[in-house]
Amino acid sequence: MKKSMRTRAAWTAVSAAVLGLAAPLSMSPPASAAPPAPVSSLHWTRCADTGLDPRQECASVKVPMDYAHPGGRKIDVVISRIPSEKPATRRGALLLIPGGPGGSSLDDPSGKGQKLPQSVRDAYDLIGFAPRGLAPSTSVNCGLDHGDLAVSKLRPWPAPDGSIGQNMVTARRMAAACVRNGGELIRHISTADEARDIDRIRAALGQHRLSAWGVSYGTYVGAVYSQLFPHRTDRIVLDSNDDPDPTRVSRGWLAAYETGVEDSFPEFAKWASASGNPDRVAVSAAEVRPLFLRLAAHLDRAPIPWPGANPEELNGNVLRQTMLDSLFSPNRFPALARLIRAARHGTVPPAPTAPSDAARQNVTAVAATTICNDVAWPKSAAEYRSGVARSREEHPLTAGMPRNAMVCAAWPYPPEHAPVRITAQGPSNILLVQNERDVATPLSGAMKLRDALGTRAVMVAVDSTGHGSYLANGNACGDDTVSRFLATGERPDGDIRCAV
């Protein structure tokens, strides 16, 4: 991506200020001019989790379960904070928006929030939250079968021959369980609901405007919040960005794995063939892809028992899912290489550790309800069947999974709201940061969000591999650019590329 100057950016910021949406960044108050302390309606107490920073405290915000009936039943959204470390220069609140759907940032003020540079920790109260449906907020549970909680089942890998009949059966079984066990709340868990909850959090904190750092799915949440409440946004960082296509939403994110794997697998192949690597699987990078495909096909035909795993066998789709998981970070490459080496000898490593079924039930329920309530998915098996066949031919590493049927293919409830269309209307106060090789949110999809936001945003593309960019891969150019924006409001004049 070439560095470019967007000449309309300053005009957009000024016009936004005139319209009352936000002050242009160049007019931000200096760090020494701290705003008045916020008037909060919250009762802060010690957080329930152990091992947290002793400064972190928690509170609960009441929000409508159904925003179409705001006077009706209320649910709890639990939030957390670590206050600014230098109140005299405090600017406001920085909301840490988690990925997912199904992720929580409740512990993040004590976790990744402490990786932020001192200038940012001085400028903001760090705020985390457990989105609606996710414990300890008012929670949901679909009561799924243990086998349906396997990651290789939740990702809709087709049968070895490419057939999808069993995927449709699984979708119907999971949807029925959610309807049976999820209660009324499963109708009201969506990205738009989460964005509206965020504005209730902002108001409860006593903040006129809110800054945010959203990661992965959190970039879509942040974009939707910025679209619905533009005049309530301050400095917005969106990291590892989802394609906001309102006709597809999560269907598009699933399909993006085709591109993400093709972008990222060559990096694994180079690493896995490097001389001196104790986990080396081939003598050249060119050999790794065909080796992987042959091994997956062999495991399709002859799975290896794997006691303690879910499922309790290493089959071709478990290997493919492990590949998908491992491409999220180069730090995970050794796990995939060791599994490949073991499987080639007919053995398996110790079963991987996994969250408890209870925790996975809750996360899975929130993820499923969000993606199904955000946009209507096709009900026709024929549509998935043709997509899978085409995908298997063009992208054999992902074997058709990204075009297959998830639980939403059998979801009985239509979306309550049309997906939010992200536009260029609003203040120019958004910074996108994006690795060039990202298995889950590839650069090609991130550029769709960049294009949709127009002059509201600039993008920092980082020459790196993995999911998660800011403070995640040691790129000083990318990290310093984002930190400077959060601390001072200074943003590049146009899109930039940060080399290694």
Side-chain angles (χ1 to χ4, degrees), residues 51-91:
L52 299 174
D53 188 304
R55 297 171 298 168
Q56 181 170 314
E57 50 194 357
C58 288
S60 182
V61 179
K62 294 286 186 184
V63 301
M65 182 181 70
D66 180 359
Y67 277 96
H69 303 283
R73 178 186 165 189
K74 301 296 191 293
I75 59 174
D76 291 308
V77 173
V78 177
I79 69 173
S80 61
R81 77 169 177 185
I82 291 180
S84 160
E85 295 181 22
K86 195 174 182 181
T89 61
R90 178 189 177 279
R91 178 178 178 82

Side-chain angles (χ1 to χ4, degrees), residues 1-254:
M1 185 184 309
K2 295 177 65 176
K3 183 173 180 178
S4 63
M5 175 73 76
R6 297 187 177 272
T7 57
R8 294 178 58 197
W11 182 90
T12 301
V14 172
S15 64
V18 172
L19 291 170
L21 297 174
L25 294 177
S26 60
M27 296 173 62
S28 298
S32 58
V39 178
S40 171
S41 62
L42 298 168
H43 175 61
W44 295 99
T45 62
R46 184 178 181 86
C47 297
D49 287 354
T50 58
L52 299 174
D53 188 304
R55 297 171 298 168
Q56 181 170 314
E57 50 194 357
C58 288
S60 182
V61 179
K62 294 286 186 184
V63 301
M65 182 181 70
D66 180 359
Y67 277 96
H69 303 283
R73 178 186 165 189
K74 301 296 191 293
I75 59 174
D76 291 308
V77 173
V78 177
I79 69 173
S80 61
R81 77 169 177 185
I82 291 180
S84 160
E85 295 181 22
K86 195 174 182 181
T89 61
R90 178 189 177 279
R91 178 178 178 82
L94 178 67
L95 184 70
L96 309 175
I97 308 178
S104 171
S105 64
L106 198 63
D107 293 348
D108 283 356
S110 294
K112 74 175 190 178
Q114 297 309 301
K115 298 179 181 179
L116 290 163
Q118 190 67 52
S119 58
V120 177
R121 302 200 313 272
D122 289 346
Y124 299 99
D125 299 340
L126 304 181
I127 309 296
F129 70 111
R132 61 167 54 208
L134 195 67
S137 299
T138 303
S139 62
V140 292
N141 188 320
C142 287
L144 301 176
D145 296 342
H146 171 74
D148 287 339
L149 295 172
V151 180
S152 58
K153 183 69 72 69
L154 295 172
R155 292 284 186 270
W157 297 97
D161 64 358
S163 62
I164 68 162
Q166 192 56 50
N167 299 112
M168 295 299 293
V169 171
T170 299
R172 288 191 288 270
R173 181 173 63 247
M174 292 178 66
C178 288
V179 171
R180 185 170 59 250
N181 301 314
E184 187 181 359
L185 181 54
I186 68 165
R187 301 284 303 275
H188 307 291
I189 298 178
S190 70
T191 302
D193 287 315
E194 184 170 335
R196 293 183 175 97
D197 289 347
I198 287 173
D199 203 56
R200 295 295 179 110
I201 292 170
R202 175 203 57 76
L205 291 169
Q207 296 293 143
H208 176 63
R209 295 190 299 172
L210 191 66
S211 293
W213 171 20
V215 180
S216 190
Y217 166 69
T219 65
Y220 182 59
V221 177
V224 169
Y225 181 73
S226 297
Q227 188 69 37
L228 295 179
F229 302 97
H231 57 298
R232 296 302 189 189
T233 60
D234 189 10
R235 297 169 183 167
I236 306 297
V237 171
L238 304 181
D239 175 353
S240 305
N241 296 275
D242 276 317
D243 181 348
D245 181 355
T247 67
R248 293 172 61 79
V249 193
S250 49
R251 285 187 66 211
W253 307 338
L254 185 66

Side-chain angles (χ1 to χ4, degrees), residues 63 88 137 165 186 188 251 314 319 367 411 429 465 500:
V63 301
S137 299
I186 68 165
H188 307 291
R251 285 187 66 211
L314 173 58
L319 179 67
W411 198 248
N429 62 354
T465 302
V500 175

Side-chain angles (χ1 to χ4, degrees), residues 290-309:
L291 181 156
F292 178 87
L293 292 172
R294 288 194 304 270
L295 180 59
H298 171 74
L299 292 170
D300 283 336
R301 298 187 300 270
I304 302 171
W306 202 355

